[in-house]
Amino acid sequence: MTESASSKENWLRSLWRAVNIPTAAVLLAALIGAVILLISGANPLDAYSALLKGSFGSLDALSRTLEKATPLVFSGLAVAFAFKAGLFNIGAQGQLLLGAITAAVVGFGIHGLPPYIHIPLALTAGAIAGGLFSAIPGALKAYTGAHEVITTIMLNYVAINLTDYLADGPWKDTSPGNIVARTPEIAAAARIPVVAGIPLGFIISLGIAFIAWWLLWRTTLGFEIRTVGLNPHAARYSGMKVARTIILTMVISGLLAGIGGAVETQGVVYRYQPGFNVGLGFDGITIALLGRTHPFGVIPAALLVGAMKAGSSTMQFDAGVAKEITDVVQALILFFVAADMIVRWILRIRAEEGEKITLSTGWGQQ
Amino acid sequence: MNTTLESPPAWKQYLARWGWGLGSALLLLVLVLWNYAQNPTSTEAVLASTVRQSTPLVLGALCGLWGERAAVINIGIEGQMLLAAFIGFLVNVWTGNLFLAVIAGVLTGAVLGALLAFMSVTLKIDQIIGGTVINILALGLTGYFYQQGLTTHGKLQAIPLGPLADIPIIGPVFFNNPPITYVTILLVFFSHYLLFYTRWGLRTRAVGEHPRAADTLGVDVYLMRYANVIFGGGIAGLAGAFLTLEAVGSFERAMTNGRGFVALAVMIFGKWTPLGSWGAALLFGFATAMQTQLQFAGLNIPHQFIGMLPYLLTIIVLAGFVGRARPPAADGVPYEKE
Amino acid sequence: MSETLALEVRNITKRFPGVLANDGVNFTLRKGEIHSLLGENGAGKSTLMNIIYGLYSPDEGEFFIDGQRIEIKNPHDAITRGIGMVHQHFMLVPVFTVAENIILGSEVTRGFTLDMTRAREEIRALSHEYGLEVDPDAVVEDLPVGIQQRVEIVKALYRRANILVLDEPTAVLTPQEAEDLFRIMRHLTERGVSIIFISHKLKEVLEISDRITVMRRGKVVGTTTPAETDESGLAAMMVGREVVLQVEKGPAHPGEPVFAVRDLHVLDERKLEAVRGISFEVRAGEILGIAGVQGNGQTELAEAITGLRRVESGAITVDGAPVPDRDPRFLFERGMGHIPEDRQKHGLVLPYPVADNLALVAYYKPPFANGIQRNDAAIMENAVRLIDEYDIRTPGPLVPAGNLSGGNQQKVIVARELSRQPRFLLANQPTRGLDVGSIEYIHKQMVAARDNGAAVLLISAELDEVMSLADRIAVIFHGKIVAVVEPGQVTKEQLGLMMAGTPAEEVL
């Protein structure tokens, strides 16, 4: 509704309004990152140019950036989608792990399928695993009021333990010589190919982002989700099933995170190995907020963070800077996006009225 | 508004409020005593481990409750603990002075508390997001600055309290501990006194329940919130110092392992009271201590499943108790002055 | 009564975005007098008092206390100058005891510890001196409203207030409780306290005041005394024109019962029984009014019958068929219209555009949706039509509802609910806090709905509203219907007595 009818002449202005804070946040974070680099005795210019070279400097680098960005689009979408119902899914990490290992099991456990069946089958399996796992905090929130922030974080630890157990137990790679916890490699037919330097998974992520947008702004379900997020009392008043909407939103969010894990397994790692997907779910928080919790905003945000990941090894190699500096910069980006009041204050940008999500109205309320 | 409402007698109210917790505590006590009769050394070990495991949790819960009693939800306890653990560790490495290191940890927590207060009180950012910012910031900073191979200068050692330490069961469990554990127990009682029997506590609770009312009586809502969140941050900092300077003696990445979040469940289970939180933290500590026991007991359960226990317990406690306990009425709501 | 001024404000001006709330206001308060401040909602009375109490800072103006010019920057300044205020919405911490509430901000301590023993003694002494009995150890949320108000007054006196501002203190009281308050007020003035009494009820202002100042649209219209004026004179000053408070409506032609509840029991938030066995039916073409003092179970009753709150026991039926528990959509599907008590909490999604709010209840059905997709064109069309039909003042259908004035927000809800041509309409406090124009308009719409054959249930705390709109009046007290009467057969006073719990057979 809101965007469909906003007049065309304001198009540029609203685009500016959508990107001014995130852009400023990224620049400010890079600036403070430079200061931290200086303090720790590195040359920020060298570091950042190496970072750029490693992420956009060549076709190879560009392809790597897209590859890194792909799971991030999904975890960003997962967090952003839940935000619309006023839910903070910090559990994208755990849902992603379960998606990754389930895609792996479908990938190595089944043989002889053609790729056009095996790839979507493994992706779907990963999505369902993530969705089911995410239904738990959804149901707990809807029926007991247990805050999803704590339950999803606790479930992250459960997921880590569970996948560790599976990769070290029943689904362990038993090939001779392997002593670490990991699953066997998935069948070639389950691997998502890279076409002309573009990982196919990235194209899929664009399609899913569009579907997420359509769902939120063009369907009655999306209207219910956004109403629950903005005013659950009014949602109840108008006959919406708030509990059902909360659970459904969490399931969809978990599905998105689950695909993210599956894409990582099928497009990059080709197996499940503990420790390979660490932090992807948490990156989703930064990406969702940087993308202003809008499905289309998530894509450039994921590309940015993906570029930082892709370039960090080059940076470490060329400039001798620990690649964890990108984590610091990311945290700073998150800080400045979340604390947009600071950015507004620095840049003298006026605050706007808009759909504002409140997450912290206490523990027991719904 | 029920005019003829008769309150049930005080003991009934008390039982309704605390009966569940007291009941389970009593049951545990019986089990422990029975176990003690069978095997004194292992029981003492479990109990001592319970107290050790509960220390960061009760500190985290105190941090959370000081914030929430003033209506600021602190989901950044994890990050406060982690960065404090790291800075405390670094100061210990540089100076070799454990006392200075602990102070550095406490100050780190307090500074992050001030940051949270700035975000949630002054900028009125969503408090859950503000806390998450702190968590991710702490994770990033400690990850970047941490270099392996740093050597420490030892850790805080247990100080037996004279003859008290020789009392069976209680002695080794409560009176033969390292300093931060003693401070923690003192902090529990101090917090209880401060919250319920002093001007500071009365104003804090008023600000958490009905900030406008407090404001109309000349209580500075913002000041109270800042002060309490910073105070809480210092307590979380002490929890961080406990991890590196008293429990482990070194720093590891993400070593807090979700304790900051478990602490919030502990706080809710303890109904936003210091004594209740202490009891809840002991229960959680007991569950964690039993983990080790279970692993030694030769049960054929994969260690990962035992590792899930505290987290599952947290979820169960949250799901079962959130609806029953009543948080401060203004919890999580920024205050707008008119 | 002496002629010295306890308080004087000169030339107070306060602007809010888009509103001039106080426009060069002058006001004086003599020692020991009761000076009423009269005006409609939004006339600027509360703004002026909040300025005097330091909650708002004025853009212009000066304060004088005992002839001396002073600054009041915050409530603390006001308190030290001896100004106390009893707010319309009580400023009490519900979970605190009376004593804790009273000492908050002016605590007595022994060392660091609160000295509750001394606090209790001081409070007892105060209550005794001023005839305001309160139990220092009672928890505030367990106390009836009248007593809570007493606590507020004691709270001000505890801070040695000699200027007391009472902001709409009778809004939540029964007529009898109000009489009690007036007795206390007279008692206080005898002891040298000066009182500013804010109200929009003409009768009580005439009864209690020494002087009356009337405000309209942020300005002082004039100051008078009860001897010099009467109700119609004050009313004319208040609204600036002669108003017809009577709603024009013909006799009702009740048809079949549409909606009925039988022996309904409902619990409140604290699991106490708030509705204790209520039965009634509403017939097509009539307005049944439920009159009662706030907090006698109306909120729970309304929520239960609109599917928002669990029914403990009893039956709700529509056209004789039972209604499932907590299913608002079932009721909407069968023709319920619901104007909720709290329009911003339940009735609207403030950040949504007006158009979305106008489609909030029927959003899932044609024409607003085709299957799972929304039909934005139909939603817009509906909005444009209703904005025009119901005279909703908004810059456009895509403006967030939160940007509209209270009256226009309520019109959005009324438009949405009435445009669906309900067979059964529940209107809960439909005109609370609105300006006279909007009230008249909404009253007319409700009568029109009745004349179209809707069964209307009106719940209101405004006796005048119930008296003028309802065809039958059910009096609710303590979760029970204590009497059902016709408006022509009772006086306001009789209704008031029944609302306060006097048995109907003693009253009628």
Side-chain angles (χ1 to χ4, degrees), chain A residues 87-155:
Chain A
L87 299 164
F88 196 9
N89 182 10
I90 300 191
Q93 181 64 40
Q95 294 141 23
L96 193 140
L97 292 184
L98 285 179
I101 200 168
T102 308
V105 100
V106 173
F108 74 74
I110 303 173
H111 288 278
L113 291 176
Y116 57 84
I117 293 180
H118 208 166
I119 291 173
L121 186 70
L123 277 176
T124 311
I128 291 173
L132 286 179
F133 196 58
S134 183
I136 302 170
L140 288 171
K141 167 89 169 188
Y143 295 123
T144 73
H147 203 291
E148 75 281 2
V149 164
I150 297 185
T151 54
T152 53
I153 284 175
M154 294 297 106
L155 285 170

Side-chain angles (χ1 to χ4, degrees), chain C residues 122-135:
Chain C
E122 286 179 13
I123 291 164
R124 286 218 180 82
L126 260 182
S127 353
H128 195 72
E129 187 186 343
Y130 290 98
L132 290 152
E133 291 310 318
V134 288
D135 171 9

Side-chain angles (χ1 to χ4, degrees), chain A residues 5 218 220 224 227 231 237, chain C residues 338 345 348 352 363 372 374:
Chain A
R218 287 289 175 268
T220 55
E224 287 169 359
T227 306
N231 185 349
Y237 156 86
Chain C
H338 178 195
K345 184 177 171 190
L348 296 169
Y352 272 168
Y363 69 95
I372 60 167
R374 274 157 53 93

